[in-house]
Amino acid sequence: MKSLRALASTTVLVLAACGSGGGSKPAPEGSGNQTDSGGHVAQCHPTCNTAADCAVPGSALDSASHFTCTGGTCNWQGCQSDAECNADAPSGAPHLLCRAGQGAPVPSCVPGCSTAADCATAGAPLADASHFACNAGVCAWQGCKSTAECASALHVQKVVCETPPGAPAAMCEPTCNTAADCAHAGEPLQDVSHFACKAGRCEWLGCKSTSDCTGGLHSSHFVCQ
């Protein structure tokens, strides 16, 4: 289970959306393989008997009160206040707000602002003020501007600036000729067998089995589903 959710700075959010040029993005908790007829991609989910099994000691956003244990798996219920979003934030980090984004199933911690300049991260080309709007006091990343910008900022050539289906803005998406272009060395859940290259875009296929999750994440407390 990932802790310190409040440390998701503007830069991290942008680069996570853009990727690093190595492959498509796996599930937050890990991995999975088969895609069913409804488009579901199997993911690695943390397992539990009670919500307390999901908690991360010392993390304000990952206490037992932030989880439900449903069907034997942990389900994070979102942040509960602005104060807890900032409890683990380092000195000098943007002030975070607990807000539910459009279409988001639960509220999460997002950077607050008065102007777009408040959202900018120094030294991050994809996260300067020109890439943001300040909407109702919340930073809204406006997306990449061109493929050339993505290539320069991420120091890769196999990348394109485009808007994936359902995404709110254009993102730096990794491109490929074969599935091998998508793989990440040393990451079992992101090796070549977990990817397909379709129409020049990397597609993560998900976890293959529960043992795939437990081995790749070095914990017995995961299930692939």
Side-chain angles (χ1 to χ4, degrees):
M1 184 59 54
K2 294 186 177 177
S3 60
L4 303 182
R5 297 174 195 269
L7 300 185
S9 67
T10 299
T11 300
V12 172
L13 293 174
V14 169
L15 295 182
C18 292
S20 59
S24 62
K25 298 165 284 298
E29 303 302 343
S31 49
N33 157 239
Q34 311 285 332
T35 302
D36 64 25
S37 58
H40 172 73
V41 177
Q43 312 283 348
C44 295
H45 297 276
T47 58
C48 55
N49 292 311
T50 70
D53 296 330
C54 309
V56 177
S59 173
L61 289 162
D62 292 296
S63 66
S65 67
H66 289 79
F67 290 93
T68 60
C69 180
T70 306
T73 60
C74 296
N75 294 280
W76 191 61
Q77 299 302 292
C79 55
Q80 297 171 358
S81 69
D82 293 354
E84 69 176 17
C85 282
N86 293 280
D88 296 324
S91 176
H95 182 70
L96 300 174
L97 306 174
C98 180
R99 299 289 186 272
Q102 184 176 3
V106 297
S108 60
C109 299
V110 295
C113 56
S114 296
T115 69
D118 297 331
C119 308
T121 299
L126 290 166
D128 63 20
S130 72
H131 287 81
F132 286 94
C134 183
N135 296 333
V138 174
C139 293
W141 190 61
Q142 300 300 287
C144 54
K145 299 175 181 179
S146 68
T147 292
E149 178 185 62
C150 291
S152 175
L154 301 176
H155 307 292
V156 295
Q157 294 303 313
K158 290 186 176 181
V159 67
V160 64
C161 177
E162 63 183 14
T163 304
M171 298 182 178
C172 300
E173 291 290 301
T175 61
C176 56
N177 293 316
T178 70
D181 295 330
C182 309
H184 292 264
E187 298 185 30
L189 292 167
Q190 296 187 57
D191 64 18
V192 65
S193 71
H194 288 82
F195 286 95
C197 180
K198 295 185 178 180
R201 303 294 182 267
C202 293
E203 179 179 332
W204 189 64
L205 301 176
C207 53
K208 301 174 182 179
S209 64
T210 291
S211 61
D212 193 32
C213 293
T214 57
L217 298 173
H218 308 291
S219 171
S220 61
H221 301 294
F222 283 89
V223 64
C224 177
Q225 64 182 33

